[in-house]
Amino acid sequence: MIGLISATAAGAAARDRLAAAWPDRTRVYDGPVGDAVRRAFAECEQLVCFLATGAVVRLIAPLLADKASDPGVVCVDEGGRFAVSLVGGHGGGANELAREVGELLGAEPVVTTATDAVGVPGLDTLGLPVEGAVAAVSRALLDGEAVALHNESGWPLPPLPVTPEGPYGIRVTDRLVELSEQEVVLRPPSLVVGVGASKGAPAEEVWELIEGSLSEAGLSPKSVAELATVDAKAEEPGIVAAAGRLGVPLVTHSAEELAAVEVPNPSDAPLAAVGTPSVAEAAALVRGGELLVPKQKSAATPAMATCAVVRRPARGRLAVVGLGPGARDLLTPRAKAELQRASVLVGLDQYVDQIRDLLRPGTRVLESGLGAEEERARTAVEEARRGQAVALIGSGDAGVYAMASPALAEASDDIDVIGVPGVTAALAAAAILGAPLGHDHVSVSLSDLHTPWEVIERRVRAAAEADIVVTFYNPRSRGRDWQLPKALAILAEHREPATPVGVVRNASRPDESARLTTLAALDPATVDMMTVVTVGNTATRDIAGRMVTPRGYRWQEGAR
């Protein structure tokens, strides 16, 4: 929850804009400012104070305890010109919150965290637990000193200004290691702990077994990604409590699935109790990996818990990212985060140019021109298979006439694939036109480069007969000038000449243009590949110059 505090009418107006925009994320704190800040500090994960930074510093100074647990605080000035990340830039999320507040209020985000200022990833922003000399190594990165990276696990990381050797070090490992005063260790989520327990097994017995097994094997509990067990133990209190103490999910598998896993230490006892000869080892191994700790029993007599530990191999990461229609403010925060997380970016050269300024220094960029979609998809998958963190970009939504399909056709289950949705051209155009997609609608590409025209025509005819609003992508190019007239003629067989048609070129970009015409009046020669054409159905109307398709048809009956 984000606490909102203001002291003046101007501050309250800006505060209320945030509250209206984020009703589920924010809580307004009224009353004397000092009391409001204290209450919000104790109750919220983040604060936005519409106050002078000096005033906020004095108010929160007695409340600060630990950067790992203090809320992030952002200050917005009276004029609404700046959103200042005051404390908790990384741990409290204040840096990102300042950017979000800035976008919403039209304020300039002010982020003074050193790593953010120069584009170097903060060690505490990499998504992995970090231990050791964080300040010293971060300072070395900022000063350009030699920092060696020893990635024992092969875990995919964002680009870091590191070298093979140096006086400072970053180690990526799940092992317990001795660190020098010039080293940090990043803990990858590489370990799976399989757990079995008798009914009513004490929580402390389960926990001590897990903690002791990890310690004896020289493994860090901060690298445990999940606890795994059989479905029948999904609500066993001792196991649930152990997952809670580790702060990881409890993942369960069916007895049939576990029984199919080959294990070194099967037993008749779990077979009789839950239907599988192994719970701990099988649950840990069910998705593959290296068995580091074979089945261990708890020390109690009789033993009521068992556990085993598996290390899963590091997997490359492929994020398929939709950039939206082109406007920077329609690029989603999740897309921005994935672009900054990537060590390798793959994309069409003109799309790379759109977001090049968002990439971290050191990001390897693999760009190519039009017509190389399959090559880009193969390249992205190959880089992910080498253990890289890869972002493959496409315009609009990457899954709509873009790069997700060829990439997933190349990918197998040996890499992690993350889809990042984006605003499509059809949606951007619809927002400009009014509400043409208010009822059932379909998008059809008129490009026959990959799809035979006979198939395209059959789809257009089906949409026409079904009275569905149609948005045409790739409607016309120099070499394809007859497909759009043919498609419009098919629609005209089922719709009136006055049916509204919206034409939007370069939606959301500086040279955007839009017009509302009719099925009879549209001149296909005015359309090109940068244009989206939306043809209404029999209920679509031109209302005050806006294209509107009602959600239902009944309310239109009286207006006809």
Side-chain angles (χ1 to χ4, degrees):
M1 187 62 66
I2 303 171
L4 305 180
I5 302 102
S6 63
T8 66
R15 175 203 69 193
D16 291 345
R17 286 176 61 192
L18 277 190
W22 299 335
D24 297 327
R25 296 178 60 190
T26 58
R27 179 186 303 158
V28 173
Y29 283 81
D30 293 316
V33 169
D35 292 342
V37 168
R38 283 188 289 273
R39 286 187 288 123
F41 199 93
E43 297 171 358
C44 297
E45 291 82 19
Q46 296 174 318
L47 280 68
V48 179
C49 299
F50 298 87
L51 304 164
T53 54
V56 177
V57 167
R58 286 190 293 272
L59 288 169
I60 68 171
L63 309 176
L64 296 172
D66 188 326
K67 63 183 294 184
S69 58
D70 289 337
V73 180
V74 171
C75 292
V76 179
D77 65 288
E78 280 290 295
R81 297 170 299 168
F82 304 105
V84 182
S85 174
L86 188 65
V87 297
H90 289 161
N95 290 351
E96 183 56 34
L97 180 60
R99 296 184 182 101
E100 288 187 80
V101 170
E103 285 186 9
L104 198 137
L105 298 181
E108 180 72 22
V110 179
V111 176
T112 58
T113 312
T115 49
D116 292 82
V118 298
V120 175
L123 295 174
D124 54 352
T125 68
L126 300 180
L128 303 178
V130 58
E131 305 167 22
V134 176
V137 176
S138 296
R139 189 163 52 249
L141 289 170
L142 292 168
D143 291 343
E145 298 191 48
V147 178
L149 174 65
H150 304 287
N151 193 347
E152 297 177 14
S153 70
W155 206 261
L157 297 172
L160 292 166
V162 293
T163 59
E165 300 294 335
Y168 295 88
I170 299 172
R171 302 177 70 172
V172 187
T173 181
D174 55 25
R175 296 185 301 108
L176 297 173
V177 291
E178 291 288 335
L179 296 176
S180 75
E181 294 181 354
Q182 295 178 318
E183 283 185 300
V184 296
V185 61
L186 297 170
R187 298 297 188 190
S190 54
L191 304 179
V192 177
V193 177
V195 183
S198 302
K199 185 176 182 180
E204 276 305 310
E205 181 176 343
V206 176
W207 172 249
E208 288 175 3
L209 172 62
I210 294 171
E211 186 180 43
S213 297
L214 290 169
S215 178
E216 289 176 15
L219 299 171
S220 171
K222 293 185 178 179
S223 279
V224 176
E226 64 184 51
L227 251 58
T229 191
V230 67
D231 285 346
K233 298 297 178 179
E235 297 181 4
E236 185 63 42
I239 297 177
V240 173
R245 289 183 71 166
L246 281 169
V248 300
L250 176 60
V251 178
T252 64
H253 305 278
S254 68
E256 293 77 13
E257 191 176 7
L258 297 186
V261 178
E262 187 173 337
V263 298
N265 299 294
S267 171
D268 292 335
L271 180 61
V274 294
T276 172
S278 173
V279 173
E281 288 180 338
L285 284 166
V286 67
R287 293 177 184 166
E290 176 188 3
L291 184 63
L292 301 180
V293 179
K295 182 174 71 174
Q296 305 289 306
K297 293 183 179 181
S298 54
T301 304
M304 298 186 71
T306 60
C307 82
V309 183
V310 162
R311 176 187 288 136
R312 289 182 182 164
R315 292 161 61 91
R317 190 176 192 277
L318 174 61
V320 187
V321 181
L323 300 181
R328 178 58 60 84
D329 60 351
L330 292 182
L331 178 67
T332 67
R334 187 180 300 179
K336 292 179 184 177
E338 288 295 345
L339 294 175
Q340 296 207 325
R341 180 170 182 167
S343 58
V344 179
L345 181 89
V346 182
L348 179 67
D349 47 14
Q350 63 190 51
Y351 298 152
V352 172
D353 290 340
Q354 290 179 22
I355 49 82
R356 198 183 296 271
D357 62 301
L358 296 177
L359 304 178
R360 293 194 186 278
T363 304
R364 186 154 54 95
V365 178
L366 305 176
E367 53 189 312
S368 53
L370 287 168
E373 287 83 3
E374 293 180 356
E375 177 188 340
R376 284 195 291 276
R378 282 194 295 271
T379 298
V381 172
E382 288 169 1
E383 290 291 334
R385 284 182 176 142
R386 294 190 184 106
Q388 300 293 327
V390 183
L392 174 63
I393 59 174
S395 66
D397 182 282
V400 180
Y401 302 122
M403 294 304 302
S405 294
L408 296 188
E410 291 286 337
S412 53
D413 63 357
D414 57 347
I415 61 173
D416 292 327
V417 179
I418 297 91
V420 181
V423 178
T424 67
L427 295 178
I432 295 164
L433 294 169
L437 309 183
H439 208 280
D440 298 336
H441 55 275
V442 64
S443 294
V444 177
S445 171
L446 294 183
S447 172
D448 56 2
L449 295 177
H450 300 288
T451 306
W453 174 254
E454 293 76 14
V455 175
I456 297 172
E457 181 174 334
R458 188 164 67 246
R459 292 170 179 171
V460 173
R461 193 171 299 280
E465 293 173 353
D467 195 26
I468 296 175
V469 175
V470 181
T471 297
F472 290 122
Y473 279 71
N474 307 312
R476 185 177 181 273
S477 67
R478 290 181 181 178
R480 295 186 300 99
D481 58 359
W482 59 269
Q483 287 91 340
L484 179 59
K486 176 64 174 176
L488 295 174
I490 293 171
L491 292 176
E493 295 174 10
H494 300 271
R495 300 180 193 181
E496 297 295 327
T499 299
V501 176
V503 181
V504 180
R505 187 176 190 279
N506 283 333
S508 85
R509 300 185 183 186
D511 56 346
E512 168 190 298
S513 64
R515 68 184 188 278
L516 187 57
T517 182
T518 65
L519 189 55
L522 175 61
D523 179 5
T526 63
V527 173
D528 62 14
M529 284 288 286
M530 306 304 292
T531 305
V532 171
V533 177
T534 300
V535 182
N537 64 14
T538 56
T540 305
R541 295 290 181 268
D542 177 344
I543 301 176
R546 301 181 184 91
M547 188 175 178
V548 179
T549 302
R551 291 182 63 187
Y553 300 111
R554 293 192 180 117
W555 69 272
Q556 284 287 341
E557 291 175 359
R560 293 186 180 180

